[in-house]
Structures are given as structure tokens and as C-alpha cells.
């Protein structure tokens, strides 16, 4: 038996969160949260290539918060199996030998549950090394689940024990702290975003959002591309400070984006009747790291004709796609990370190098035991305002 936070299906709580969450935010991590601290059976590692892991630290991701607070789109409902234990950003210790990785090895995990993990013939995505595009995430010997942390059979990082397949695991380099290692998964996503943005030398880039997704994307863009000016949209003082430390050339507030981009690029600013302003001209590439309607609308309206817009944050609401049509924008999404990246290395290998060398001390700004989960989620919901980038569960203390 083990202690874990378990996500369960509750239509009543989902509707309450949707109806009242914006007016009474405390509901979202309180009575309306479809989450409970329970004692349940440990998941089993009874298939070839699988092993048990004892999580050490497990991060709270924006997708986790979206799931708990009812903001995740119903599009994803067919790709999860409930009840499940959340948590896909982990650093943990192997409790079993796992092929070439001996028991006791510290590991991080690529959370996508691919064909290899499910014991089925590889799909086109997996065959090409793009495991994040796997078409088999609902079949095989596992219950449906697009990732570990959304699957009934695997457990997740918000519990004392979970299981993972060898294809998901990367050994943590000796000397890399747990606080840095737990950032490997979101850093790998940022590596994937930066490389998929296809930045040419000297091109201008806008990153909308300075939470973990936006800050790590900024870091990866500066370290892995030859971008010219990188402008970051940040709300809070600590976010602005970190954006500059991670490589931003300019930092602007949300209400300064159009003015800042126009000044930097020489674009023309237009204001339609009863509609949001936009630019003729603008940045070469924009990365949306928020997913909100306002953020997506903004990046579409400040990207120059023929430019590229990368959706890195999980979209939560609709946006006006008129600029995509009128300005012939290239619109692309980035989900998780890939083994086959344009730099010919798995994103996780690059991410572990960034975790070693980048200025990440203090990025995990708060750690909570599982039994203080409501406090942890409240903190994560207000992380930007409180000057925190990443909140994590210290599973060892639970």
C-alpha cells in the first residue's frame, strides 16, 4: 500500500469549478477539487522493461492545475483513465533493476506513454523517433493515458511509488541536485519548443508569458538558437528579473506588447473599430507560453506576414484566427518533447545539460509534503504573483 493524491471523476465538482471558479478561486483547490489523499495499492511493474520508482520531488505543472481546476479541454477526456495519480515532472530512485539501469539509480522521466511502453507495434510517430506524436496512447496492456500522471495503471509523481518503462527513463548525472533534476521534463519541452520554432540567425522572437513554460523557452531559445532580439512578456517583477537572466533582450508588461514590438521592429500599428489592435510588420517568430485567449490573440497580432507562431502553452479558450489567414502566418504547436530533435539529440539529453549549467538555483521555490496538497496547489496557482517559478511535492516527506 502507498500514500498518493488521486484524481477522480466528479461531474458535480467539474461544473462547480467552471461556474464559480473565476469568482471564488479558493473553490478550485478546496471543495471543488476532484482530488483526494488516499492509501491505495502500489502500481505493478510486471511487464518486461518496467520498474518501480520512488519519487523524490514531483513538480506541479500548468497542465496539472488545469486538470484540477476544470480548465482542461474535454478534448483530452478520451485519453485519460480515472482514477489516476497525477505527477509527470519527477526525479526519483529506481526500486528495481531496469535493463541497463541498476536499482538505486536516480532517474528523470519522459512521461509520454508510447508504443514501446504499451507493448504494441510502433506507430509512424514512434518509428520516426517522435514519441510525442504517438497514435497508440489508448491501447496495449495499459489503460488509456497520454502520459504517466494521467493513466490509471502507472501511478504518478504525486504518490509514494510509480512505475515507468525503460524507454521513458534517463539517468541523472552525478552531482546534479534533485532541485535541478526535477526541472528536466519542463526543460525538455522548452528545448523542443525552441528547436521547432526554426529560428534563423538574427531573427526577432516574442515569448508571451514568463511562468515556467515561457522562462524555460526563453532560456532554450537563447542557448540553442542564434535568435537576435528576444522580447518576453512578463507580469511580475521576479519574472522580469528571471527573463533577463535567461536571455531576454527586452521585457515588457502585457499592456506594453504592441508598443514595445512596434518600437523594436518599426511596424505600423492599426486599431480596427470595436476590435483589438494589430501590427503590420512585427516579430519574425512568436511563442505563446500561456494558452489564454488574450495571449494567443496578442501573438497572432504582433507577428509579421509570413512569420511563425508557436503554441507552447496548452490552449484553454478560442482565439480570433483572422491574422493567420490575412498575414499567412505559419501556426504550429509543440507538445512534450522528442527523441529526434533538429539538433540530432533527444531533448532530454539537452535538457539535462541545461539543468547542469543554467542559472536555475532557487527555481524550485517551494516544496510541500503530499498532505499539504491544498497549500501546494494554492501556491502554484499564484506562483507568478508570489515570485515563484516552480512548486513541487517533496514526496519523501509524505
Amino acid at each position: 500500500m502507498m500514500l498518493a493524491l488521486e484524481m477522480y471523476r466528479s461531474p458535480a465538482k467539474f461544473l462547480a469549478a467552471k461556474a464559480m471558479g473565476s469568482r471564488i478561486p479558493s473553490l478550485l483547490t478546496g471543495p471543488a477539487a476532484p482530488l483526494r489523499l488516499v492509501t491505495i495499492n502500489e502500481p505493478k511493474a510486471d511487464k518486461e522493461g518496467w520498474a518501480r520508482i520512488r519519487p523524490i520531488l514531483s513538480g506541479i505543472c500548468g497542465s496539472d492545475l488545469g486538470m484540477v481546476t476544470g480548465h482542461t479541454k474535454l478534448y483530452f477526456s478520451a485519453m485519460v483513465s480515472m482514477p489516476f495519480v497525477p505527477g509527470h515532472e519527477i526525479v526519483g530512485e529506481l526500486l528495481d533493476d531496469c535493463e541497463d539501469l541498476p536499482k538505486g539509480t536516480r532517474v528523470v522521466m519522459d512521461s509520454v506513454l508510447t508504443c514501446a511502453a504499451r507493448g504494441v507495434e510502433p506507430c509512424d510517430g514512434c518509428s520516426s523517433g517522435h514519441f510525442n506524436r504517438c497514435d497508440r496512447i489508448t491501447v496495449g496492456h495499459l489503460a488509456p493515458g497520454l502520459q504517466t500522471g494521467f493513466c490509471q495503471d502507472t501511478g504518478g509523481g504525486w504518490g509514494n511509488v510509480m512505475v515507468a518503462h525503460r524507454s521513458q527513463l534517463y539517468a541523472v548525472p552525478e552531482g546534479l541536485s534533485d532541485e535541478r533534476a526535477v526541472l528536466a521534463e519542463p526543460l525538455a519541452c522548452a528545448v523542443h519548443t525552441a528547436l521547432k520554432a526554426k529560428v534563423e540567425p538574427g531573427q526577432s522572437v516574442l515569448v508571451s508569458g514568463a511562468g515556467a513554460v515561457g522562462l524555460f523557452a526563453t532560456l532554450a531559445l537563447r542557448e540553442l538558437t542564434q535568435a537576435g532580439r528576444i522580447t518576453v512578456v512578463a507580469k511580475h517583477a521576479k519574472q522580469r528579473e528571471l527573463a533577463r537572466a535567461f536571455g531576454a533582450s527586452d521585457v515588457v508588461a502585457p499592456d506594453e506588447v504592441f508598443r514595445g514590438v512596434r518600437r523594436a521592429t518599426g511596424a505600423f500599428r492599426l486599431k480596427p473599430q470595436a476590435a483589438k489592435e494589430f501590427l503590420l510588420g512585427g516579430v519574425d517568430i512568436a511563442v505563446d507560453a500561456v494558452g489564454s485567449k488574450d495571449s494567443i490573440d496578442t501573438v497572432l497580432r504582433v507577428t509579421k506576414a509570413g512569420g511563425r507562431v508557436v503554441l507552447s502553452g496548452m490552449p484553454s479558450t478560442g482565439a480570433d484566427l483572422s491574422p493567420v489567414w490575412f498575414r499567412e502566418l505559419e501556426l504550429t504547436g509543440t507538445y512534450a518533447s522528442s527523441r529526434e530533435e533538429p539538433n540530432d539529440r533527444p531533448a532530454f539529453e539537452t535538457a539535462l545539460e541545461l539543468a547542469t549549467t543554467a542559472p536555475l538555483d532557487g527555481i524550485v521555490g517551494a516544496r510541500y509534503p503530499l498532505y499539504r496538497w491544498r497549500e501546494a496547489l494554492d501556491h502554484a496557482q499564484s506562483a507568478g504573483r508570489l515570485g515563484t517559478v516552480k512548486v513541487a511535492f517533496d514526496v519523501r516527506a509524505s
Side-chain angles (χ1 to χ4, degrees), residues 59-335:
I60 300 175
C61 174
S63 60
D64 298 323
L65 290 174
M67 166 194 68
V68 171
T69 60
H71 289 109
T72 301
K73 291 289 189 180
L74 292 176
Y75 172 91
F76 297 100
S77 62
M79 295 178 281
V80 301
S81 48
M82 289 190 174
F84 60 80
V85 178
H88 59 277
E89 298 178 358
I90 69 114
V91 55
E93 179 184 359
L94 279 175
L95 296 178
D96 310 300
D97 294 336
C98 190
E99 297 183 0
D100 58 316
L101 296 177
K103 175 181 177 179
T105 301
R106 274 192 314 147
V107 292
V108 293
M109 178 188 68
D110 184 342
S111 57
V112 180
L113 292 167
T114 62
C115 294
R118 294 181 169 277
V120 298
E121 289 296 314
C123 64
D124 289 345
C126 290
S127 295
S128 64
H130 299 292
F131 292 170
N132 57 328
R133 302 176 188 173
C134 179
D135 290 328
R136 307 284 189 261
I137 53 177
T138 60
V139 298
H141 59 69
L142 292 175
L146 68 168
Q147 296 182 9
T148 301
F150 299 91
C151 175
Q152 187 176 39
D153 292 340
T154 61
W158 298 6
N160 290 148
V161 178
M162 58 182 289
V163 296
H165 188 262
R166 177 63 185 91
S167 62
Q168 298 178 275
L169 301 178
Y170 293 82
V172 176
E174 187 175 350
L176 185 64
S177 70
D178 293 330
E179 289 76 13
R180 284 174 172 259
V182 76
L183 301 174
E185 195 275 344
L187 282 170
C189 296
V191 168
H192 182 60
T193 294
L195 295 177
K196 196 168 182 186
K198 300 178 183 178
V199 182
E200 297 293 333
Q203 284 190 317
S204 58
V205 182
L206 175 78
V207 178
S208 180
V213 175
L215 289 172
F216 292 163
T218 301
L219 173 67
L221 284 162
R222 184 56 77 200
E223 293 291 328
L224 304 177
T225 77
Q226 297 182 54
R229 183 181 296 272
I230 300 176
T231 302
V232 176
V233 184
K235 278 186 179 180
H236 306 290
K238 185 63 175 180
Q239 292 177 336
R240 293 193 287 270
E241 174 188 330
L242 288 169
R244 292 188 179 93
F246 284 2
S249 311
D250 304 297
V251 182
V252 296
D255 61 356
E256 299 172 337
V257 179
F258 288 89
R259 183 166 60 252
V261 172
R262 180 172 62 88
R263 184 172 58 246
T265 63
F268 291 97
R269 186 178 184 180
L270 300 183
K271 182 66 173 76
Q273 289 184 345
K276 194 172 182 178
E277 62 193 317
F278 65 92
L279 301 181
L280 294 179
V283 295
D284 297 298
I285 295 166
V287 176
D288 171 64
V290 179
S292 69
K293 179 181 184 299
D294 285 345
S295 181
I296 296 173
D297 277 339
T298 295
V299 298
L300 293 177
R301 283 166 165 73
V302 300
T303 304
K304 74 178 190 180
R308 184 175 300 111
V309 174
V310 182
L311 301 182
S312 184
M314 181 188 293
S316 59
T317 54
D320 181 2
L321 298 181
S322 300
V324 179
W325 171 77
F326 176 57
R327 307 303 287 161
E328 292 196 339
L329 301 180
E330 180 182 336
L331 183 64
T332 188
T334 64
Y335 166 66

